[in-house]
Amino acid sequence: MFSILFVLISRTPLFLLKAISFILYTIATYKNVSHLKITEKNINHCFGENKELVKKSFRETIELALIFPFVWGKKDNYKKLVDPDYLKFKPLDNGRPKIFFTLHMGCVDILIFVLSELLEQANFLYTPVKNKKLDQKLLDIRQRQGGSMFPATPNGVKNLYKSFIDKSNIVIASDLVPHKRGVYEKFFNKECFCIDLVEKLSSKETHDLHFIYLTRGKKNKYKLVCKKIGNKITTLEMNKLFEEAILTAPELYYWEYKKFKKQRNASSSIY
């Protein structure tokens, strides 16, 4: 069932998917769905009231619901969505082990496919979906170009760390809220509970460190950005890089995610 749906969407022209997403956006906005409410609260919390950004961001959220299956359903469809100059990063595959950290901007699965294309080997930390059949299907899709996926579970993180010790390349979307272990740091000058795994791993100074993300493209929807960072980084410094990336195209960030759901004082939740 999922395979058929993904293939059908992957064969739909992008302009038509955009038109369909606009219709869905209009309906969802009229119904004032929960994702729209969360988007508004997050943006207002970080920037103050900005109705235009809320609209743009939520429209991107709805469009992503079709963009993801578009890239899942056909192996090379991701290339239609990212500027072709991403190939200039091919020299990244130079034999030195690397940590890539990223944030949820745009269709993050494009990063999985791009890095799997550019690198001979890469291990990705991912969050499993609750539906086991769908999760297995997505796992197969995400690994079809040679990348290896590690679930963000205690065992998955343990195995990812073993691969780190073995000098493998690892990729972490480190802007999510950790389930248990983490640190409180500033994000757009607001305190939030943050993943500190990149800080811990980079302090070993065994891997080159790179910040990689998608921003608004010139030719296609997205452009790949990859910056080499010093050998180690703090969580606050990581958040500052996230802020700089977000400000290049703030509507592309996942504002519908409850970024500030874990506060020191539970009664101070913005949700």
Side-chain angles (χ1 to χ4, degrees), residues 185-266:
E185 278 296 358
K186 296 291 186 180
F187 179 73
F188 284 106
N189 207 33
K190 306 295 183 181
E191 187 177 72
C192 67
F193 196 47
C194 305
I195 292 173
D196 60 348
L197 183 58
V198 173
E199 177 177 344
K200 290 177 177 177
L201 294 182
S202 69
S203 68
K204 307 291 184 183
E205 299 189 80
T206 58
H207 289 54
D208 290 344
L209 185 63
H210 293 265
F211 177 37
I212 189 168
Y213 63 95
L214 297 173
T215 188
R216 185 67 67 188
K218 294 181 179 179
K219 182 178 180 181
N220 295 322
K221 184 173 179 62
Y222 302 120
K223 176 181 178 63
L224 182 72
V225 179
C226 185
K227 299 179 179 180
K228 191 175 188 303
I229 312 299
N231 286 337
K232 57 183 179 179
I233 192 173
T234 67
T235 303
L236 179 59
E237 289 169 337
M238 178 186 74
N239 282 354
K240 289 296 183 183
L241 288 170
F242 288 164
E243 292 173 17
E244 290 174 13
I246 290 169
L247 290 176
T248 66
E251 71 279 5
L252 293 184
Y253 189 60
Y254 285 25
W255 294 110
E256 75 276 13
Y257 174 72
K258 290 185 177 181
K259 176 74 174 174
F260 302 96
K261 62 184 176 180
K262 289 189 178 182
Q263 298 294 308
R264 295 181 198 268
N265 183 355

Coordinates of all heavy atoms in Angstrom, one line a residue, residues 185-266:
E185 N 20.1 25.0 26.9 CA 20.9 26.1 26.3 C 20.0 27.0 25.6 O 18.8 26.8 25.4 CB 21.9 25.5 25.2 CG 23.2 25.0 25.8 CD 24.0 26.0 26.5 OE1 23.6 27.2 26.5 OE2 25.1 25.7 27.0
K186 N 20.5 28.1 25.1 CA 19.7 29.2 24.4 C 19.5 28.8 22.9 O 20.5 28.4 22.3 CB 20.4 30.5 24.6 CG 20.5 31.1 26.0 CD 19.1 31.4 26.5 CE 19.2 32.1 27.9 NZ 17.9 32.4 28.5
F187 N 18.3 29.1 22.5 CA 18.0 28.9 21.0 C 17.1 30.2 20.7 O 16.0 30.3 21.2 CB 17.2 27.6 20.8 CG 16.8 27.4 19.4 CD1 17.7 27.1 18.4 CD2 15.5 27.5 19.0 CE1 17.3 26.8 17.1 CE2 15.1 27.3 17.7 CZ 16.0 27.0 16.7
F188 N 17.7 31.1 19.9 CA 17.1 32.4 19.6 C 16.8 33.1 21.0 O 15.7 33.6 21.2 CB 15.8 32.3 18.8 CG 16.1 32.0 17.3 CD1 15.9 30.7 16.8 CD2 16.6 33.0 16.5 CE1 16.2 30.5 15.4 CE2 16.9 32.8 15.2 CZ 16.7 31.5 14.6
N189 N 17.8 33.0 21.8 CA 17.8 33.6 23.2 C 16.6 33.1 24.1 O 16.3 33.8 25.1 CB 17.6 35.1 23.0 CG 18.3 35.9 24.2 OD1 19.2 35.4 24.8 ND2 17.7 37.0 24.6
K190 N 16.1 31.9 23.7 CA 15.1 31.3 24.6 C 15.7 29.9 25.1 O 16.3 29.2 24.3 CB 13.8 31.0 23.8 CG 13.2 32.3 23.2 CD 12.8 33.3 24.2 CE 12.2 34.5 23.5 NZ 11.7 35.6 24.5
E191 N 15.5 29.6 26.3 CA 16.0 28.4 26.9 C 15.2 27.2 26.3 O 14.0 27.2 26.3 CB 16.0 28.4 28.4 CG 16.7 27.2 29.0 CD 16.7 27.3 30.5 OE1 15.6 27.1 31.1 OE2 17.8 27.5 31.1
C192 N 16.0 26.1 25.9 CA 15.3 24.9 25.5 C 16.3 23.7 25.8 O 17.5 23.9 26.0 CB 14.9 24.9 24.1 SG 16.3 24.9 22.9
F193 N 15.7 22.6 25.9 CA 16.4 21.3 26.2 C 17.0 20.8 24.9 O 16.3 20.6 24.0 CB 15.5 20.3 26.9 CG 16.1 19.2 27.6 CD1 17.2 19.4 28.5 CD2 15.7 17.9 27.4 CE1 17.8 18.4 29.1 CE2 16.3 16.8 28.1 CZ 17.4 17.1 28.9
C194 N 18.3 20.6 24.9 CA 19.0 20.3 23.6 C 19.8 19.0 23.7 O 20.3 18.6 24.7 CB 20.0 21.5 23.3 SG 19.2 23.1 23.2
I195 N 19.9 18.4 22.5 CA 20.8 17.2 22.4 C 22.3 17.7 22.5 O 22.7 18.7 21.8 CB 20.6 16.6 21.0 CG1 19.2 15.9 21.0 CG2 21.7 15.5 20.7 CD1 18.8 15.4 19.6
D196 N 23.1 17.1 23.3 CA 24.5 17.5 23.4 C 25.4 16.4 22.9 O 26.6 16.4 23.2 CB 24.8 17.8 24.9 CG 24.6 16.6 25.8 OD1 24.0 15.6 25.4 OD2 25.1 16.7 27.0
L197 N 24.9 15.5 22.1 CA 25.7 14.4 21.5 C 26.8 14.9 20.6 O 28.0 14.4 20.7 CB 24.8 13.5 20.8 CG 25.5 12.2 20.2 CD1 26.1 11.4 21.3 CD2 24.4 11.3 19.4
V198 N 26.6 16.0 19.8 CA 27.6 16.5 18.9 C 28.7 17.1 19.8 O 29.9 16.9 19.4 CB 27.0 17.5 18.0 CG1 28.1 18.2 17.2 CG2 26.0 16.9 17.0
E199 N 28.4 17.8 20.8 CA 29.4 18.3 21.7 C 30.3 17.2 22.3 O 31.5 17.3 22.3 CB 28.8 19.1 22.8 CG 29.8 19.7 23.8 CD 29.1 20.6 24.9 OE1 28.0 21.0 24.8 OE2 29.8 20.8 25.9
K200 N 29.7 16.2 22.8 CA 30.4 15.1 23.4 C 31.3 14.3 22.4 O 32.5 14.0 22.7 CB 29.4 14.1 24.0 CG 28.7 14.6 25.3 CD 27.7 13.6 25.8 CE 27.1 14.2 27.1 NZ 26.0 13.2 27.6
L201 N 30.7 14.1 21.2 CA 31.5 13.3 20.2 C 32.6 14.2 19.6 O 33.8 13.7 19.4 CB 30.6 12.8 19.1 CG 29.6 11.8 19.4 CD1 28.8 11.4 18.2 CD2 30.2 10.6 20.1
S202 N 32.4 15.5 19.4 CA 33.4 16.3 18.8 C 34.5 16.6 19.7 O 35.7 16.8 19.3 CB 32.8 17.7 18.3 OG 32.3 18.4 19.4
S203 N 34.3 16.5 21.1 CA 35.3 16.7 22.0 C 36.4 15.6 22.0 O 37.5 15.8 22.5 CB 34.7 16.8 23.4 OG 34.2 15.5 23.8
K204 N 36.1 14.5 21.4 CA 37.1 13.4 21.2 C 38.1 13.8 20.2 O 39.3 13.2 20.2 CB 36.4 12.1 20.8 CG 35.2 11.7 21.6 CD 35.7 11.2 23.0 CE 34.5 10.7 23.8 NZ 34.9 10.3 25.1
E205 N 37.8 14.7 19.3 CA 38.7 15.2 18.2 C 39.3 14.1 17.4 O 40.4 14.2 16.9 CB 39.8 16.1 18.9 CG 39.3 17.3 19.6 CD 40.3 18.3 20.0 OE1 40.8 19.0 19.2 OE2 40.7 18.2 21.2
T206 N 38.5 13.1 17.1 CA 38.9 12.0 16.2 C 38.3 12.2 14.8 O 38.8 11.5 13.9 CB 38.4 10.7 16.8 OG1 37.0 10.7 16.9 CG2 39.1 10.4 18.1
H207 N 37.3 13.0 14.6 CA 36.6 13.2 13.3 C 36.7 14.7 12.9 O 36.6 15.6 13.8 CB 35.2 12.8 13.5 CG 34.9 11.3 13.6 ND1 35.5 10.5 14.6 CD2 34.2 10.4 12.9 CE1 35.1 9.3 14.5 NE2 34.3 9.2 13.5
D208 N 36.7 14.9 11.6 CA 36.4 16.2 11.1 C 34.9 16.5 11.3 O 34.1 15.7 11.3 CB 36.7 16.3 9.6 CG 38.2 16.2 9.2 OD1 39.0 16.4 10.2 OD2 38.5 15.9 8.1
L209 N 34.6 17.8 11.6 CA 33.3 18.2 12.0 C 32.7 19.1 10.9 O 33.3 20.1 10.5 CB 33.3 18.9 13.3 CG 32.0 19.3 13.9 CD1 31.1 18.1 14.2 CD2 32.2 20.2 15.2
H210 N 31.5 18.8 10.4 CA 30.9 19.5 9.3 C 29.4 19.8 9.7 O 28.7 19.0 10.2 CB 30.9 18.8 8.0 CG 32.2 18.6 7.4 ND1 32.8 19.5 6.5 CD2 33.2 17.7 7.7 CE1 34.0 19.0 6.2 NE2 34.3 18.0 6.9
F211 N 29.0 21.1 9.4 CA 27.6 21.5 9.6 C 27.0 21.4 8.2 O 27.4 22.1 7.2 CB 27.5 22.8 10.2 CG 26.1 23.4 10.3 CD1 25.0 22.6 10.6 CD2 25.9 24.8 10.1 CE1 23.7 23.1 10.7 CE2 24.6 25.3 10.2 CZ 23.5 24.4 10.5
I212 N 25.9 20.7 8.0 CA 25.3 20.5 6.7 C 23.8 20.7 6.8 O 23.2 20.3 7.7 CB 25.6 19.1 6.1 CG1 25.2 19.0 4.6 CG2 25.0 18.0 7.0 CD1 25.7 17.7 3.9
Y213 N 23.2 21.4 5.8 CA 21.8 21.7 5.8 C 21.3 22.1 4.5 O 22.1 22.4 3.5 CB 21.5 22.8 6.9 CG 22.1 24.1 6.6 CD1 21.3 25.1 6.0 CD2 23.3 24.5 7.1 CE1 21.9 26.4 5.7 CE2 23.9 25.7 6.8 CZ 23.1 26.7 6.2 OH 23.7 27.9 5.9
L214 N 20.0 22.2 4.3 CA 19.3 22.7 3.1 C 18.8 24.1 3.4 O 18.2 24.4 4.4 CB 18.2 21.8 2.7 CG 18.5 20.3 2.4 CD1 17.2 19.5 2.2 CD2 19.4 20.3 1.1
T215 N 19.0 25.0 2.4 CA 18.3 26.3 2.4 C 17.6 26.5 1.1 O 17.6 25.6 0.3 CB 19.4 27.4 2.7 OG1 18.7 28.6 2.9 CG2 20.4 27.5 1.6
R216 N 17.1 27.7 0.9 CA 16.4 28.0 -0.4 C 17.3 27.9 -1.6 O 18.4 28.5 -1.5 CB 15.7 29.4 -0.3 CG 14.9 29.8 -1.4 CD 13.6 28.9 -1.5 NE 12.7 29.1 -0.4 CZ 11.6 28.4 -0.2 NH1 11.3 27.4 -1.0 NH2 10.8 28.6 0.8
G217 N 17.0 27.2 -2.6 CA 17.8 27.0 -3.8 C 17.7 28.2 -4.8 O 16.7 29.0 -4.7
K218 N 18.6 28.2 -5.7 CA 18.5 29.2 -6.8 C 17.9 28.6 -8.1 O 17.0 29.2 -8.7 CB 20.0 29.6 -7.2 CG 20.6 30.4 -6.0 CD 22.0 30.9 -6.5 CE 22.7 31.7 -5.3 NZ 24.0 32.1 -5.7
K219 N 18.2 27.3 -8.4 CA 17.7 26.7 -9.6 C 16.5 25.8 -9.2 O 15.5 25.8 -9.8 CB 18.8 25.9 -10.3 CG 18.3 25.2 -11.6 CD 19.4 24.4 -12.3 CE 18.9 23.7 -13.5 NZ 19.9 23.0 -14.2
N220 N 16.7 25.0 -8.1 CA 15.7 24.1 -7.6 C 15.2 24.6 -6.3 O 15.5 25.7 -5.8 CB 16.2 22.7 -7.6 CG 16.5 22.1 -9.0 OD1 15.8 22.4 -9.9 ND2 17.6 21.4 -9.1
K221 N 14.3 23.8 -5.6 CA 13.7 24.2 -4.4 C 14.8 24.4 -3.3 O 14.7 25.4 -2.5 CB 12.7 23.2 -3.9 CG 12.0 23.6 -2.6 CD 10.8 22.6 -2.3 CE 10.1 23.0 -1.1 NZ 9.4 24.3 -1.1
Y222 N 15.8 23.5 -3.2 CA 16.8 23.6 -2.1 C 18.2 23.8 -2.7 O 18.5 23.4 -3.8 CB 16.7 22.3 -1.3 CG 15.4 22.0 -0.7 CD1 14.7 20.8 -1.0 CD2 14.8 22.9 0.2 CE1 13.5 20.5 -0.4 CE2 13.6 22.6 0.8 CZ 13.0 21.4 0.5 OH 11.7 21.1 1.1
K223 N 19.0 24.3 -1.8 CA 20.5 24.3 -2.0 C 21.2 23.7 -0.8 O 20.8 23.9 0.3 CB 21.0 25.8 -2.1 CG 22.5 25.9 -2.3 CD 22.8 27.4 -2.4 CE 24.4 27.6 -2.5 NZ 24.9 27.0 -3.7
L224 N 22.2 22.8 -1.1 CA 22.9 22.2 -0.1 C 24.1 23.1 0.4 O 24.8 23.6 -0.4 CB 23.5 20.9 -0.6 CG 24.3 20.0 0.5 CD1 23.4 19.4 1.5 CD2 25.2 19.0 -0.2
V225 N 24.1 23.3 1.7 CA 25.2 24.0 2.3 C 26.0 23.1 3.3 O 25.4 22.4 4.1 CB 24.7 25.2 3.2 CG1 25.8 26.0 3.8 CG2 23.8 26.1 2.3
C226 N 27.3 23.1 3.2 CA 28.2 22.3 4.0 C 29.4 23.1 4.5 O 30.1 23.7 3.6 CB 28.6 21.1 3.3 SG 29.6 19.9 4.3
K227 N 29.5 23.3 5.8 CA 30.6 24.1 6.3 C 31.5 23.3 7.3 O 31.0 22.6 8.1 CB 30.0 25.3 7.1 CG 29.2 26.2 6.3 CD 28.6 27.3 7.2 CE 27.8 28.3 6.4 NZ 27.2 29.4 7.3
K228 N 32.8 23.4 7.1 CA 33.7 22.7 8.0 C 33.8 23.5 9.2 O 34.1 24.7 9.2 CB 35.0 22.4 7.3 CG 35.9 21.5 8.1 CD 37.3 21.2 7.4 CE 38.1 20.1 8.1 NZ 38.4 20.5 9.5
I229 N 33.7 22.9 10.4 CA 33.8 23.5 11.7 C 35.1 23.1 12.4 O 35.7 22.1 12.0 CB 32.5 23.2 12.6 CG1 31.2 23.3 11.8 CG2 32.5 24.0 13.8 CD1 31.0 24.7 11.3
G230 N 35.5 23.8 13.4 CA 36.6 23.3 14.2 C 36.4 21.9 14.7 O 35.2 21.4 14.7
N231 N 37.4 21.3 15.2 CA 37.3 19.9 15.6 C 36.3 19.6 16.7 O 35.9 18.5 16.9 CB 38.7 19.3 16.0 CG 39.5 19.1 14.7 OD1 39.0 19.0 13.7 ND2 40.8 19.1 14.9
K232 N 36.0 20.7 17.5 CA 35.0 20.5 18.6 C 34.1 21.7 18.7 O 34.5 22.8 18.3 CB 35.7 20.1 19.9 CG 36.7 21.2 20.4 CD 37.3 20.7 21.7 CE 38.4 21.7 22.2 NZ 39.0 21.2 23.5
I233 N 32.9 21.5 19.3 CA 32.0 22.5 19.4 C 31.1 22.3 20.6 O 30.9 21.2 21.0 CB 31.1 22.5 18.1 CG1 30.2 23.8 18.0 CG2 30.2 21.2 18.1 CD1 29.5 23.8 16.6
T234 N 30.6 23.4 21.2 CA 29.7 23.3 22.3 C 28.3 23.3 21.8 O 28.0 23.7 20.7 CB 29.9 24.5 23.3 OG1 29.5 25.7 22.6 CG2 31.3 24.7 23.8
T235 N 27.4 22.9 22.6 CA 26.0 22.9 22.2 C 25.4 24.3 22.0 O 24.7 24.5 21.0 CB 25.1 22.2 23.3 OG1 25.6 20.9 23.6 CG2 23.7 22.1 22.9
L236 N 25.9 25.3 22.7 CA 25.5 26.7 22.5 C 26.0 27.1 21.1 O 25.3 27.8 20.4 CB 26.0 27.6 23.6 CG 25.7 29.1 23.4 CD1 24.2 29.3 23.4 CD2 26.3 29.9 24.6
E237 N 27.2 26.8 20.8 CA 27.8 27.2 19.5 C 27.0 26.5 18.4 O 26.8 27.1 17.3 CB 29.3 26.8 19.5 CG 30.2 27.7 20.3 CD 31.6 27.2 20.5 OE1 31.8 26.0 20.3 OE2 32.5 28.0 20.8
M238 N 26.7 25.2 18.6 CA 25.9 24.5 17.6 C 24.5 25.2 17.4 O 24.1 25.4 16.2 CB 25.6 23.1 18.1 CG 24.7 22.2 17.2 SD 24.4 20.6 17.9 CE 23.2 21.1 19.2
N239 N 23.9 25.6 18.5 CA 22.6 26.3 18.3 C 22.8 27.6 17.6 O 21.9 28.1 16.8 CB 22.0 26.6 19.7 CG 21.3 25.4 20.3 OD1 21.2 24.3 19.6 ND2 20.9 25.5 21.6
K240 N 23.9 28.3 17.8 CA 24.1 29.6 17.1 C 24.2 29.3 15.6 O 23.7 30.1 14.7 CB 25.4 30.2 17.6 CG 25.3 30.8 19.0 CD 24.3 32.0 19.0 CE 24.2 32.6 20.4 NZ 23.2 33.7 20.5
L241 N 24.9 28.2 15.2 CA 24.9 27.9 13.8 C 23.5 27.5 13.2 O 23.2 27.9 12.1 CB 25.9 26.7 13.6 CG 27.4 27.0 13.8 CD1 28.2 25.7 13.8 CD2 27.9 27.9 12.7
F242 N 22.7 26.9 14.0 CA 21.4 26.6 13.6 C 20.6 27.9 13.4 O 19.9 28.0 12.4 CB 20.6 25.8 14.7 CG 21.1 24.3 14.9 CD1 20.8 23.6 16.0 CD2 21.8 23.7 13.9 CE1 21.1 22.3 16.1 CE2 22.2 22.4 14.0 CZ 21.9 21.7 15.1
E243 N 20.8 28.8 14.3 CA 20.1 30.1 14.1 C 20.5 30.8 12.8 O 19.7 31.3 12.1 CB 20.4 31.0 15.3 CG 19.8 30.6 16.6 CD 20.3 31.4 17.8 OE1 20.8 32.5 17.6 OE2 20.1 30.9 18.9
E244 N 21.8 30.8 12.5 CA 22.3 31.4 11.3 C 21.7 30.7 10.1 O 21.3 31.4 9.1 CB 23.8 31.3 11.2 CG 24.5 32.2 12.2 CD 26.0 32.0 12.3 OE1 26.6 31.3 11.3 OE2 26.7 32.5 13.2
A245 N 21.6 29.4 10.1 CA 21.0 28.7 9.0 C 19.5 29.0 8.8 O 19.1 29.2 7.7 CB 21.2 27.2 9.2
I246 N 18.8 29.0 9.9 CA 17.4 29.2 9.9 C 17.1 30.6 9.3 O 16.2 30.8 8.5 CB 16.8 29.1 11.3 CG1 16.8 27.6 11.7 CG2 15.4 29.7 11.3 CD1 16.5 27.4 13.2
L247 N 17.9 31.6 9.7 CA 17.7 33.0 9.2 C 17.9 33.2 7.7 O 17.4 34.1 7.1 CB 18.5 34.0 10.0 CG 18.2 34.1 11.5 CD1 19.2 35.0 12.2 CD2 16.7 34.7 11.6
T248 N 18.5 32.2 7.0 CA 18.7 32.3 5.6 C 17.3 31.9 4.9 O 17.1 32.4 3.8 CB 19.7 31.3 5.1 OG1 19.3 29.9 5.3 CG2 21.1 31.5 5.7
A249 N 16.5 31.2 5.6 CA 15.2 30.8 5.0 C 14.3 30.3 6.2 O 14.0 29.1 6.3 CB 15.3 29.8 3.9
P250 N 13.8 31.2 7.0 CA 13.1 30.8 8.3 C 11.9 30.0 8.0 O 11.5 29.2 8.9 CB 12.8 32.1 9.0 CG 13.0 33.1 7.9 CD 14.0 32.7 7.0
E251 N 11.3 30.1 6.9 CA 10.0 29.4 6.6 C 10.3 27.9 6.4 O 9.4 27.0 6.5 CB 9.3 29.9 5.4 CG 10.0 29.7 4.0 CD 11.1 30.7 3.7 OE1 11.5 31.5 4.6 OE2 11.7 30.6 2.6
L252 N 11.6 27.5 6.1 CA 11.9 26.1 5.8 C 12.1 25.3 7.1 O 12.1 24.1 7.0 CB 13.2 26.0 5.0 CG 13.1 26.5 3.5 CD1 14.4 26.3 2.8 CD2 11.9 25.9 2.8
Y253 N 12.3 26.0 8.2 CA 12.5 25.2 9.5 C 11.2 24.5 10.0 O 10.1 25.0 9.7 CB 13.1 26.1 10.6 CG 13.5 25.4 11.8 CD1 14.5 24.4 11.7 CD2 13.0 25.6 13.0 CE1 14.9 23.7 12.8 CE2 13.4 24.9 14.1 CZ 14.4 23.9 14.0 OH 14.8 23.2 15.1
Y254 N 11.4 23.4 10.7 CA 10.2 22.7 11.2 C 9.6 23.4 12.5 O 9.7 22.8 13.6 CB 10.7 21.3 11.6 CG 10.9 20.3 10.4 CD1 11.2 20.8 9.2 CD2 10.8 18.9 10.6 CE1 11.4 19.9 8.1 CE2 11.0 18.1 9.6 CZ 11.4 18.5 8.3 OH 11.6 17.7 7.3
W255 N 9.0 24.5 12.3 CA 8.4 25.2 13.4 C 7.2 24.5 14.0 O 6.7 24.8 15.1 CB 8.0 26.6 13.0 CG 9.2 27.5 12.7 CD1 9.5 27.9 11.4 CD2 10.2 28.0 13.6 NE1 10.6 28.7 11.5 CE2 11.1 28.8 12.8 CE3 10.4 27.9 14.9 CZ2 12.2 29.4 13.3 CZ3 11.5 28.5 15.5 CH2 12.3 29.3 14.7
E256 N 6.7 23.5 13.3 CA 5.5 22.7 13.8 C 5.9 21.7 14.9 O 5.0 21.0 15.5 CB 4.8 22.0 12.7 CG 5.4 20.8 12.1 CD 6.5 21.0 11.1 OE1 6.9 22.2 11.0 OE2 7.0 20.1 10.4
Y257 N 7.2 21.6 15.2 CA 7.7 20.7 16.2 C 7.8 21.4 17.5 O 8.2 22.6 17.6 CB 9.1 20.2 15.8 CG 9.8 19.3 16.8 CD1 9.4 18.0 17.1 CD2 10.9 19.8 17.5 CE1 10.1 17.2 18.0 CE2 11.6 19.1 18.4 CZ 11.2 17.8 18.7 OH 11.8 17.0 19.6
K258 N 7.4 20.7 18.6 CA 7.4 21.3 20.0 C 8.8 21.4 20.5 O 9.2 20.7 21.4 CB 6.5 20.6 20.9 CG 5.0 20.7 20.6 CD 4.2 20.0 21.6 CE 2.7 20.2 21.3 NZ 1.8 19.5 22.4
K259 N 9.5 22.4 20.0 CA 11.0 22.6 20.3 C 11.1 23.0 21.8 O 12.1 22.6 22.4 CB 11.5 23.7 19.4 CG 12.9 24.1 19.7 CD 13.9 23.1 19.2 CE 15.4 23.6 19.4 NZ 16.4 22.6 19.1
F260 N 10.2 23.6 22.4 CA 10.3 24.1 23.8 C 9.4 23.3 24.8 O 9.0 23.9 25.8 CB 10.0 25.6 23.8 CG 10.8 26.4 22.9 CD1 10.3 26.8 21.7 CD2 12.1 26.9 23.3 CE1 11.1 27.6 20.8 CE2 12.9 27.6 22.4 CZ 12.4 28.0 21.2
K261 N 9.2 22.1 24.5 CA 8.2 21.3 25.3 C 8.8 20.9 26.6 O 8.0 20.6 27.5 CB 7.8 20.1 24.5 CG 8.9 19.0 24.2 CD 8.3 17.9 23.3 CE 9.4 16.9 22.9 NZ 8.8 15.8 22.1
K262 N 10.1 20.8 26.8 CA 10.7 20.4 28.0 C 11.4 21.7 28.7 O 12.5 22.1 28.3 CB 11.7 19.3 27.9 CG 11.1 18.0 27.5 CD 12.1 16.8 27.6 CE 11.4 15.5 27.3 NZ 12.4 14.4 27.4
Q263 N 10.7 22.2 29.7 CA 11.3 23.4 30.4 C 11.6 23.0 31.8 O 11.2 22.0 32.3 CB 10.2 24.5 30.4 CG 9.8 25.0 29.1 CD 10.9 25.7 28.4 OE1 11.5 26.6 28.9 NE2 11.2 25.3 27.1
R264 N 12.6 23.7 32.4 CA 12.9 23.4 33.8 C 11.7 23.5 34.7 O 11.5 22.7 35.6 CB 14.0 24.4 34.3 CG 15.3 24.4 33.6 CD 16.2 25.4 34.2 NE 17.3 25.8 33.4 CZ 18.5 25.2 33.4 NH1 18.7 24.2 34.3 NH2 19.5 25.6 32.7
N265 N 10.8 24.5 34.4 CA 9.6 24.6 35.2 C 8.5 24.2 34.2 O 8.2 24.9 33.3 CB 9.4 26.1 35.6 CG 8.2 26.3 36.5 OD1 7.4 25.4 36.6 ND2 8.0 27.5 37.0
A266 N 7.8 23.1 34.5 CA 6.8 22.6 33.6 C 5.6 23.5 33.4 O 5.0 23.6 32.4 CB 6.2 21.2 34.2

